Amino acid sequence: MAKASSAIAQWYSVMTILERYVARTVTRATLTTLIALVALLVLFNFIDEFEDVGRGYETLDAFIVGSLSAPRYLYELFPVAVLIGALLALGGLASHSEITAMRSVGFSSNHLLKALLKMGAVLMAIVALMGEYLGPIAENFAQDYRHAKLHGTVVMRSRHGFWAREGDSFVNIRRVANGSTIQQVKIYDFKKDNTLSLATSANSGEHINEEWKLKDIQQTEFTALSLSNRQLESATWKSQFDPSVLAVAVVRPTMLSTTELIEYIDFLDHNGQNANEYEVALWTKLATPIASIVMLVLAVPFALGNQRDASRGKRIFTGMILGASFYLLSRAMSYVAVAYSVSPGLMVIIPSLVFLGSALWLLKRVR
């Protein structure tokens, strides 16, 4: 009995050591892959920002704004990076017959999968914290920083629109519908002694011929002894806030955490506005951990395939193509959900379900 217990303890110790070894190997490859992918996309962002250099915007400013997208990319690219990293690491172990040696001492595919899932859970938790908290903060700062450098104006933005000062006037725009249309506009004009002289409220406005055409206007004029109200069907508003300046007023999904996305979706629904884009962003955030698990499961059958097959590089390349396909399919489903108002949760989870089914089928074949 004592010998049996000792043998079980020794076997468990060996399994734990092998799990840690696999986890360390895959972690190094995953982090290397993730850094490379993020660096590539940050470079593309920097190139895009470089187009504005020379308009009060320096090369360093473009680099800062481009680099601030890194936390978001860390979260978005993690499923693809973990697949490629796992394939590279496990492919290296297989090419040196290490996986064969592990299996000969009882390290089954279940143990391999368990080691990968443990490693994936730890990395996912770290990356999720960055994507949930650091990512939105960086995105907000980048947009405000870029706007201040390019336009020289500072605005205060919230989920209820944004406030800005223009001369002796304060402007509040609740929503920027698109590049040239605004809704729920309020303009407060002050005198030199800081007393309110005119309050204007417009239901909507459109940028035409370098000026704004406001519609459904209500105005209140204040004097020392009285106030007067009037309504106008339309009027011209000459302002420095052209569509490029107002881009800062748009609250992009990447600028919101999960909690803020939920609150903003409720706000849009309450006001009868389309929240599909934000619902897709919310479900994408929630589905990323699931996608990461699917990618790890998908990596195992490629590593446990026919170990005598010399074309291991082909299997790894195929796995990389699958990772890219998953990323592109996820993007395509997101666009479908936004464009056609299809259930965001369903569209976002479909790629994970398809790839999980394929992974389980492949895993069954190699066992």
Side-chain angles (χ1 to χ4, degrees), residues 224-298:
L225 300 176
S226 64
L227 58 86
S228 58
N229 297 315
R230 59 176 174 265
Q231 292 185 344
L232 302 173
E233 184 177 341
S234 64
T236 299
W237 176 42
K238 294 183 179 180
S239 171
Q240 66 176 346
F241 297 122
D242 59 29
S244 63
V245 175
L246 290 178
V248 73
V250 179
V251 180
R252 299 196 302 261
T254 56
M255 297 163 58
L256 301 173
S257 65
T258 301
T259 302
E260 290 171 333
L261 276 171
I262 294 173
E263 293 177 352
Y264 196 64
I265 290 170
D266 289 340
F267 168 75
L268 293 177
D269 289 339
H270 181 73
N271 288 274
Q273 299 176 20
N274 190 342
N276 279 350
E277 183 180 359
Y278 298 89
E279 290 177 350
V280 169
L282 173 62
W283 281 102
T284 300
K285 277 197 171 189
L286 297 177
T288 296
I290 298 174
S292 302
I293 294 174
V294 171
M295 295 297 101
L296 286 172
V297 176
L298 186 60

Side-chain angles (χ1 to χ4, degrees), residues 53-167:
V53 171
R55 300 192 294 120
Y57 200 56
E58 303 300 331
T59 302
L60 179 60
D61 298 324
F63 177 76
I64 291 173
V65 173
S67 299
L68 286 171
S69 61
R72 170 168 62 91
Y73 288 140
L74 283 173
Y75 188 74
E76 292 179 352
L77 294 174
F78 183 75
V80 176
V82 80
L83 171 63
I84 296 175
L87 287 171
L88 291 174
L90 296 179
L93 294 178
S95 65
H96 293 90
S97 301
E98 291 181 76
I99 289 182
T100 301
M102 292 178 187
R103 299 187 74 179
S104 68
V105 296
F107 194 77
S108 65
S109 58
N110 287 335
H111 289 99
L112 180 60
L113 187 58
K114 181 181 177 182
L116 292 178
L117 292 180
K118 285 181 179 180
M119 176 276 302
V122 174
L123 287 183
M124 186 71 245
I126 297 172
V127 172
L129 288 175
M130 296 186 68
E132 180 68 11
Y133 298 104
L134 184 57
I137 293 174
E139 291 282 325
N140 276 280
F141 180 82
Q143 184 164 335
D144 291 343
Y145 182 87
R146 187 178 191 278
H147 177 83
K149 290 292 183 178
L150 287 176
H151 304 289
T153 59
V154 179
V155 302
M156 182 177 70
R157 183 182 56 247
S158 73
R159 63 177 182 172
H160 302 297
F162 86 112
W163 287 87
R165 181 174 180 175
E166 184 179 23

